[in-house]
Amino acid sequence: MSTVEAAVPGAEPRSYLQEGRGIRSWIFTLDHKRIGVLYLVSVMASFLLGGLFALLVRTELLTPQRTIMDAQTYNQMFTLHGAVMIFLFIIPGIPAVIGNFVLPLMLGAKDVAFPRLNLASWWLYVVGSLFALASILIGAVDTGWTFYTPYSTETSTAVVPMTMGAFILGFSSVFTGLNFIVTIHKLRPAGMGWFRMPLLLWALYATAIIQVLATPVLGITLILLIVERVVGVGIFDPALGGDPVLYQHFFWFYSHPAVYIMILPAMGVVSEVISVFSRKHIFGYSFIAGSSIAIAFLSFLVWGHHMFTSGQSPLANTIFSALTFSVAIPSAVKVFNWLATMFRGNIVLKTPMLWILGFIFLFGIGGLTGLFLGALATVIHVHDTYFVVSHFHYTMFGGPVMALMGALFFWWPKFFGRMYVEFWGKVSAVVVFIGFNVTFFPQFILGLRGMPRRYYNYPPEFESLHVLSTLGGYFLSIGFLIAFFTLVHAIFRGKKAAANPFGAATMEWQTSSPPPLHNFVEAPHVGDPYDLAGLVYDEASDGFRPAAKEGSS
Amino acid sequence: MIHSLWIPAFRMKMDVVPGRYNKAWFKATKIGEFPLLCTEYCGTGHSDMLTTVVVHPPGGYEDWLKKASNMLSPVFRPADLTDAAGLLRALKTGGAPVRVWLLERLAPETREKISAWPGGAVSEELRKVVVDDLNAVLTGDPIYDEARFAGVAVSEEARQLLAADPPPAGDDRIGLNRFLLVDAFPDALSRAPDLTEAGRYIYERKGGCRSCHSVDGGANVGPTFKGIWGKTHAMRQGPPVTVEENYIRESILDPNAKIVSGFDPVMPTYRGRLTDREIDAVIAFLKTLAEEK
């Protein structure tokens, strides 16, 4: 490529992608954008791995008895699917990929507050993943991703490397959270008060609080588990005088908030995309912002709803049930505000919007079925059945994964300066949406009819619904393959993207696509992040630019 | 391992957590059989942990219980076949009407096996199927018929039971059938089961005492049975007690009447689950443990 380009006055500055070449310029970079890309690559690799495990699990379930693997392998597959998807994919997904890339840009800042900590967080992610991969090779864990004791202290599989991996990944998560909290506090530009921040930042802020407060509890719990397994100190194992239910309390004290680590940033993405593609100011800004904080707060008070049948006292059950219902309020506040934002907007059905609409629909079902799981009278029947499996896929897959895909299609032009082929983007969103429902809706019925989760063999009357679910899973995977090809194709063959291809008012769209190393050449203009009226479409660049410029130049 | 008991039809579920007692209840309102499954992941065999709950019509449970608890004392155990080869030879030879009749009552497969039996030692497996078939005869209809038992010296016990009015039912009828069969094959079948052996069987299997009481002095939920006979134990309340028949019977039927100090009142009652004869058997077994000491 010619280097003359950069020298031409008025032409675009060198992008961060052109600053330095070779592997070292990437793996030792301090640039938040490059770290975002590093996370993108590693998190997506985990997603493919986790997806592969999922397909193996679904394939095994095609028949009531053995299909392609034995019971032990099956148990390892569903454990790995859960552990990889949660610890390696969804938890770091939006915060570490989208957050790292977009957060400083949205603040008009040069970088996050602690660039080295940021790089350390990625390295810890890599080390943690290597531990997890090593455990797969040594003797893949078969405890379920929850590592419940006493099974996890007794099984012969490699529990220690896997939990060690999760422990290290926890640090990675804490580092990211810490960085975001400080960055948001300290690096907001003059003129951007808390209530002029884009809502994604509110969401990332709330997420970071949970990451910093809850993750250490998981870390300690996993260390206690390792101590018990290796040294034989009785903490959770009743044979050694411990209490297995104590483990469940500790585990869910982190892992319930963790589902909000997954969903909150996704909700932030929705708030951004929905306004841009409805061509309308976001509705109820302060309610959406406040509800993120409310969710973060309430998320710490509901862990007991994972243990309704553990023998917990009826009083505790009742209190946890009531608290669980209260989480529905801030969640519903968000959904209603999104719908109100779309109401009377000029809805533009581009790829990111399709993924986000999918989010609202699927998360809606996930949330509403959550009420069945919060109500004591109904949860006793469906606890630990496919109903729960379906519920959390509707929330955790229908939520964060759909939002991450929407976010990738939304910010891809900013990441790589290239546009993808709109048609294939849309096809992938539609295929995934259909495939998702075919896969998971039957699982609600399975659960209600009495199909327990984590079953290798199952009664033959459940076969047809399982087959339907598996076929849906295959279809779903095709959707993701199309999405990946579309995105990768864009990097190499895509049309050059404008600075602001979708007409958004947040600051990251004021710099070129992709941005230069230090993000902004001129100080960006700080304004209402949802004031779309000031933007006009410019046919020449196929993007939007501020209307004011027309007269001023 | 943690398991979870789930009966979908009853909409109830409760985890089974080691080292902890959880309570659960349900009210079955329909007669029938319903699936029961484990819903807390417990390892490789998790998805095979299933069975059915049987809801009986009123009285049906008592009938079942009776049948189940009669399995031990009145019916034959393999050890009661004192001369298996002799019995098979007699059946093969035929002649006496009762022999011909009994051979016909056996399952066709058993008959085939007997006719294929070359004589000599009787295999463990053949012994078992024969005992099973004999028990099916015992627990079936009354077997006495004058013509059938022609030439058999009917014992005094059997004679009394045959004359009883009303005719013996349940346990007693099975007992009568047993007397009659032993009379017909006096050298091959033993008259009464060995009480000590029966007691051990109840301790290990039927009563499940083993899960709480050791016989080797090991600590467990309940006091060990090692050397228990004749010992004097301090009670939580009231004077100390010396272990003898009545105390054991009371401990089995009404375990909370006297609580051994240092233990919790968690032993279930066996009232209705063990017959008097079975309690005798347990006592006989406990006596042997004293002798070992």
Side-chain angles (χ1 to χ4, degrees):
Chain A
M1 286 283 124
S2 109
T3 46
V4 191
E5 258 180 325
V8 176
E12 291 205 339
R14 251 149 55 105
S15 86
Y16 78 100
L17 292 171
Q18 294 158 325
E19 296 286 344
R21 290 175 169 278
I23 184 91
R24 298 173 130 263
S25 76
W26 282 92
I27 61 174
F28 296 121
T29 181
L30 296 179
D31 178 7
H32 70 96
K33 300 181 287 303
R34 284 197 167 198
I35 294 175
V37 173
L38 288 177
Y39 261 119
L40 173 70
V41 174
S42 28
V43 160
M44 282 300 149
S46 304
F47 182 35
L48 287 180
L49 189 64
L52 185 71
F53 292 138
L55 286 179
L56 290 171
V57 165
R58 281 304 337 159
T59 304
E60 172 53 42
L61 290 170
L62 273 173
T63 64
Q65 304 286 324
R66 183 196 164 101
T67 312
I68 52 167
M69 57 181 95
D70 58 20
Q72 170 72 6
T73 315
Y74 173 79
N75 295 343
Q76 293 171 321
M77 287 303 128
F78 75 65
T79 302
L80 294 174
H81 165 66
V84 167
M85 285 298 199
I86 287 180
F87 295 115
L88 293 176
F89 171 55
I90 305 184
I91 288 184
I94 296 180
V97 177
I98 305 295
N100 258 326
F101 192 93
V102 174
L103 181 136
L105 287 168
M106 279 187 157
L107 292 172
K110 270 207 296 205
D111 210 314
V112 290
F114 308 117
R116 279 172 210 285
L117 192 67
N118 205 12
L119 180 64
S121 139
W122 179 74
W123 272 104
L124 282 178
Y125 176 88
V126 172
V127 175
S129 320
L130 289 180
F131 266 91
L133 285 180
S135 89
I136 298 178
L137 299 179
I138 299 171
V141 195
D142 68 342
T143 57
W145 77 277
T146 48
F147 310 122
Y148 265 22
T149 53
Y151 191 64
S152 52
T153 32
E154 286 168 16
T155 173
S156 60
T157 55
V159 172
V160 172
M162 183 53 114
T163 45
M164 202 60 211
F167 176 75
I168 296 171
L169 289 167
F171 274 94
S172 155
S173 182
V174 170
F175 284 2
T176 302
L178 213 59
N179 225 335
F180 285 4
I181 292 178
V182 178
T183 308
I184 290 175
H185 271 275
K186 291 293 173 194
L187 298 186
R188 267 176 298 122
M192 186 190 278
W194 281 89
F195 286 91
R196 285 200 124 186
M197 271 193 332
L199 288 164
L200 176 62
L201 299 191
W202 272 101
L204 287 173
Y205 186 76
T207 309
I209 291 176
I210 309 181
Q211 283 176 307
V212 170
L213 293 184
T215 315
V217 178
L218 177 75
I220 295 165
T221 310
L222 295 179
I223 287 295
L224 289 177
L225 178 65
I226 292 174
V227 167
E228 179 169 275
R229 232 185 115 91
V230 177
V231 194
V233 180
I235 302 160
F236 306 124
D237 188 349
L240 301 170
D243 181 355
V245 178
L246 181 67
Y247 175 86
Q248 300 180 12
H249 278 290
F250 283 175
F251 182 83
W252 289 114
F253 189 82
Y254 163 78
S255 295
H256 193 77
V259 309
Y260 296 100
I261 295 180
M262 305 184 227
I263 195 70
L264 274 171
M267 291 168 153
V269 169
V270 176
S271 304
E272 299 302 329
V273 173
I274 205 98
S275 156
V276 171
F277 291 92
S278 301
R279 306 307 307 146
K280 222 183 116 201
H281 195 285
I282 191 84
F283 185 89
Y285 174 96
S286 48
F287 280 88
I288 298 185
S291 62
S292 289
I293 303 299
I295 289 178
F297 174 71
L298 290 171
S299 74
F300 282 96
L301 305 179
V302 299
W303 79 92
H305 72 212
H306 294 270
M307 301 161 56
F308 281 144
T309 66
S310 69
Q312 185 168 259
S313 78
L315 178 66
N317 278 352
T318 312
I319 294 172
F320 277 123
S321 170
L323 287 169
T324 300
F325 277 110
S326 68
V327 183
I329 299 169
S331 309
V333 163
K334 283 190 193 283
V335 174
F336 288 133
N337 279 309
W338 295 329
L339 297 184
T341 303
M342 287 168 65
F343 181 62
R344 297 222 167 137
N346 278 319
I347 295 171
V348 186
L349 286 181
K350 287 205 170 167
T351 310
M353 185 64 163
L354 287 185
W355 287 98
I356 294 310
L357 289 178
F359 171 106
I360 296 180
F361 186 85
L362 301 178
F363 181 74
I365 295 183
L368 290 173
T369 51
L371 297 179
F372 293 80
L373 297 170
L376 287 174
T378 40
V379 70
I380 299 300
H381 178 58
V382 290
H383 175 74
D384 264 336
T385 67
Y386 266 67
F387 191 91
V388 176
V389 175
S390 187
H391 160 74
F392 68 69
H393 280 93
Y394 266 90
T395 50
M396 295 291 101
F397 182 165
V401 182
M402 296 297 280
L404 175 62
M405 294 308 293
L408 287 179
F409 278 99
F410 185 54
W411 279 292
W412 205 251
K414 193 52 70 183
F415 265 89
F416 298 107
R418 300 284 166 175
M419 291 304 291
Y420 44 83
V421 181
E422 188 64 38
F423 172 77
W424 287 110
K426 285 184 182 171
V427 168
S428 69
V430 171
V431 171
V432 167
F433 181 80
I434 297 173
F436 180 93
N437 283 295
V438 176
T439 310
F440 294 105
F441 202 82
Q443 298 187 3
F444 281 128
I445 307 171
L446 279 170
L448 281 175
R449 293 203 183 152
M451 171 75 210
R453 65 192 283 202
R454 298 174 167 175
Y455 259 35
Y456 170 71
N457 293 326
Y458 58 84
E461 66 259 33
F462 297 129
E463 185 168 5
S464 50
L465 285 171
H466 269 303
V467 170
L468 186 61
S469 180
T470 301
L471 294 181
Y474 295 154
F475 194 60
L476 177 65
S477 319
I478 295 173
F480 276 110
L481 288 180
I482 297 174
F484 289 139
F485 282 123
T486 308
L487 289 173
V488 172
H489 173 266
I491 297 180
F492 298 104
R493 294 260 186 289
K495 195 156 73 57
K496 201 155 167 16
N500 190 358
F502 303 119
T506 42
M507 276 194 274
E508 77 273 27
W509 303 104
Q510 292 183 30
T511 185
S512 54
S513 304
L517 179 62
H518 294 304
N519 293 348
F520 296 93
V521 177
E522 303 160 36
H525 165 72
V526 181
D528 180 342
Y530 300 101
D531 178 18
L532 305 181
L535 296 163
V536 289
Y537 180 67
D538 170 39
E539 214 164 321
S541 66
D542 191 17
F544 288 72
R545 60 188 166 75
K549 267 199 176 168
E550 258 174 35
S552 72
S553 61
Chain B
M1 218 53 57
I2 302 180
H3 302 281
S4 189
L5 175 103
W6 185 31
I7 310 171
F10 300 167
R11 302 290 186 272
M12 67 79 64
K13 181 177 290 141
M14 183 52 82
D15 288 3
V16 183
V17 184
R20 165 191 281 246
Y21 291 95
N22 284 341
K23 286 197 200 97
W25 63 273
F26 55 82
K27 188 168 172 187
T29 51
K30 285 204 179 110
I31 292 164
E33 298 199 2
F34 306 95
L36 181 158
L37 318 104
C38 175
T39 56
E40 182 64 63
Y41 174 65
C42 57
T44 325
H46 175 49
S47 65
D48 300 324
M49 266 187 91
L50 23 101
T51 178
T52 47
V53 178
V54 182
V55 180
H56 291 283
Y61 174 68
E62 285 73 14
D63 286 348
W64 171 84
L65 190 67
K66 203 147 206 181
K67 236 197 241 154
S69 50
N70 280 344
M71 288 305 276
L72 181 82
S73 341
V75 298
F76 290 114
R77 296 163 312 134
D80 295 334
L81 238 71
T82 41
D83 180 8
L87 177 71
L88 295 195
R89 225 175 292 121
L91 288 175
K92 265 183 131 167
T93 323
V98 70
R99 294 183 177 180
V100 178
W101 169 81
L102 186 58
L103 188 64
E104 276 188 355
R105 312 299 302 166
L106 303 183
E109 306 86 67
T110 315
R111 260 179 294 173
E112 267 169 38
K113 280 186 187 135
I114 292 176
S115 65
W117 174 65
V122 179
S123 73
E124 209 40 48
E125 190 233 321
L126 181 54
R127 182 185 276 266
K128 247 189 88 209
V129 287
V130 170
V131 167
D132 283 347
D133 283 12
L134 286 182
N135 283 335
V137 174
L138 283 188
T139 49
D141 297 332
I143 65 176
Y144 187 75
D145 180 304
E146 215 164 312
R148 195 177 295 155
F149 280 83
V152 172
V154 176
S155 60
E156 189 48 37
E157 292 108 320
R159 234 174 250 297
Q160 275 178 14
L161 282 167
L162 279 174
D165 184 40
D171 216 347
D172 289 342
R173 197 187 69 215
I174 300 170
L176 167 60
N177 285 347
R178 178 172 171 135
F179 282 131
L180 288 168
L181 276 192
V182 174
D183 292 342
F185 302 92
D187 301 324
L189 295 173
S190 99
R191 176 156 297 266
D194 179 334
L195 268 192
T196 323
E197 272 311 299
R200 179 186 294 283
Y201 174 82
I202 294 167
Y203 164 79
E204 283 176 355
R205 308 249 329 263
K206 187 170 174 212
C209 324
R210 178 165 60 173
S211 59
C212 299
H213 296 280
S214 73
V215 285
D216 57 2
N220 208 331
V221 179
T224 181
F225 283 164
K226 186 177 181 200
I228 188 179
W229 185 259
K231 258 206 186 142
T232 304
H233 286 160
M235 294 293 135
R236 265 199 199 176
Q237 274 167 352
V241 172
T242 303
V243 179
E244 40 70 54
E245 273 100 345
N246 278 323
Y247 170 65
I248 295 180
R249 184 173 299 271
E250 183 190 61
S251 293
I252 293 173
L253 295 179
D254 192 3
N256 293 346
K258 300 195 182 86
I259 308 292
V260 184
S261 79
F263 292 91
D264 291 326
V266 292
M267 175 164 158
T269 174
Y270 284 85
R271 194 180 289 282
R273 286 171 62 190
L274 295 184
T275 64
D276 272 359
R277 274 157 76 186
E278 287 169 326
I279 294 176
D280 288 343
V282 172
I283 293 172
F285 171 61
L286 293 187
K287 279 186 190 164
T288 64
L289 297 176
E291 284 154 13
E292 275 169 23
K293 201 188 154 205

